[in-house]
Amino acid sequence: MSCNSWDEWVGMDRLMKHSQENIIKQQALDKKAGVDKNTKSGRSAHAKPKSSADTKVDKEEAKNTAPRGKKRKADSSIEKDNLSAEKLVKIQIPPNLKKLLVDDWEFVTQQNKLVKLPRSPSVDDILTKYLEYRSKKDGMMVDATGEILNGLRCYFDKALPVILLYKKEHQQYGEAVSDNVSPSSIYGAEHLLRLFVKLPELLTYVKIEEETLIRMQQKLQDFLK
């Protein structure tokens, strides 16, 4: 999978239209599961208390991204078309990583504590280390794994500013990422996890054979473990 073919695989306008409404679902589920509010490292220390204006923005953002009955009906035909693919691609995120997702959401949206950039290890570092691990374990049989990891990197770089950032993170993104710097070299595990939440939906737009999708799912699951 090459980065240049990413836009051919996934139409960006369709991606934005059909993925934004699911972000609020994940947030609601995560918050319901409960969060640990203890201070963690890697967050900006100069967080400001949430004002009434911030609260209003959060509510408005939730309102704008929440699924609506009419929209669900309008998209029902698309969902039916993607039903088989959704059944094939199921990524189970381990409980400890789910907890990190919950904490991440709480820090950014409720406490205004953004991740400090650049992150170490970065997404590039994490993917490279995993490939090295598989190379040592499997010998030279890692070509397929390398292609999948490169695909993950491409997905991350393209999807981050579109569907992986919370509203309060967009200014930070504009300051941290330039034309000659890829997001995967700046952002780390927190944002990579957000991609895994969205992957099953993203892959519904990818034209891949069923057998290939199943193998991909297995490798992605191993990566998370």
Side-chain angles (χ1 to χ4, degrees):
M1 184 193 306
S2 67
C3 291
N4 291 333
S5 65
W6 193 89
D7 287 324
E8 298 176 3
W9 278 31
V10 183
M12 187 61 72
D13 54 343
R14 282 199 307 164
L15 180 61
M16 294 175 66
K17 179 179 179 181
H18 299 300
S19 60
Q20 291 281 1
E21 66 181 57
N22 290 325
I23 296 176
I24 192 64
K25 294 181 184 178
Q26 184 65 36
Q27 292 176 348
L29 290 173
D30 289 344
K31 183 159 184 159
K32 186 176 180 181
V35 297
D36 179 3
K37 297 183 180 180
N38 293 329
T39 302
K40 300 283 197 314
S41 62
R43 297 282 168 176
S44 299
H46 53 278
K48 299 179 180 179
K50 179 172 286 192
S51 65
S52 59
D54 291 331
T55 302
K56 184 177 180 181
V57 169
D58 286 343
K59 290 181 178 179
E60 188 64 26
E61 184 177 11
K63 180 180 178 181
N64 291 337
T65 55
R68 300 176 177 83
K70 291 183 179 179
K71 182 175 179 57
R72 296 296 293 173
K73 290 180 181 179
D75 293 340
S76 61
S77 60
I78 296 175
E79 291 178 353
K80 288 179 181 178
D81 292 339
N82 293 331
L83 185 59
S84 59
E86 288 175 353
K87 287 182 178 179
L88 288 174
V89 185
K90 293 182 180 180
I91 300 175
Q92 298 296 325
I93 298 179
N96 61 321
L97 297 184
K98 285 184 179 180
K99 179 61 166 55
L100 292 179
L101 282 167
V102 172
D103 290 341
D104 179 41
W105 176 87
E106 172 74 11
F107 281 128
V108 176
T109 66
Q110 304 302 302
Q111 300 182 30
N112 297 319
K113 293 181 179 179
L114 307 186
V115 170
K116 292 181 180 180
L117 300 177
R119 296 295 284 147
S120 180
S122 66
V123 170
D124 282 340
D125 294 334
I126 294 170
L127 297 178
T128 299
K129 288 179 181 179
Y130 177 73
L131 184 60
E132 291 174 352
Y133 159 75
R134 292 310 315 182
S135 298
K136 291 178 180 179
K137 188 172 183 178
D138 302 335
M140 300 301 294
M141 306 298 291
V142 293
D143 288 347
T145 300
E147 290 180 4
I148 290 175
L149 294 180
N150 184 54
L152 276 178
R153 183 181 291 105
C154 295
Y155 265 57
F156 183 84
D157 287 339
K158 293 285 188 176
L160 180 72
V162 182
I163 58 172
L164 299 184
L165 294 177
Y166 295 116
K167 192 170 185 177
K168 297 177 181 179
E169 296 177 305
H170 284 281
Q171 180 178 347
Q172 183 191 42
Y173 172 85
E175 296 170 351
V177 179
S178 59
D179 292 338
N180 59 345
V181 176
S182 63
S184 55
S185 67
I186 301 294
Y187 288 81
E190 299 88 352
H191 292 79
L192 181 59
L193 274 176
R194 298 184 199 176
L195 175 63
F196 273 84
V197 173
K198 303 300 297 181
L199 266 181
E201 179 185 357
L202 293 176
L203 291 175
T204 62
Y205 298 99
V206 179
K207 295 180 180 180
I208 306 180
E209 294 181 357
E210 178 178 337
E211 183 179 348
T212 303
L213 274 175
I214 293 174
R215 288 201 304 268
M216 181 185 298
Q217 176 180 308
Q218 293 170 343
K219 292 183 181 296
L220 293 175
Q221 203 67 57
D222 181 71
F223 176 82
L224 284 174
K225 291 179 180 179

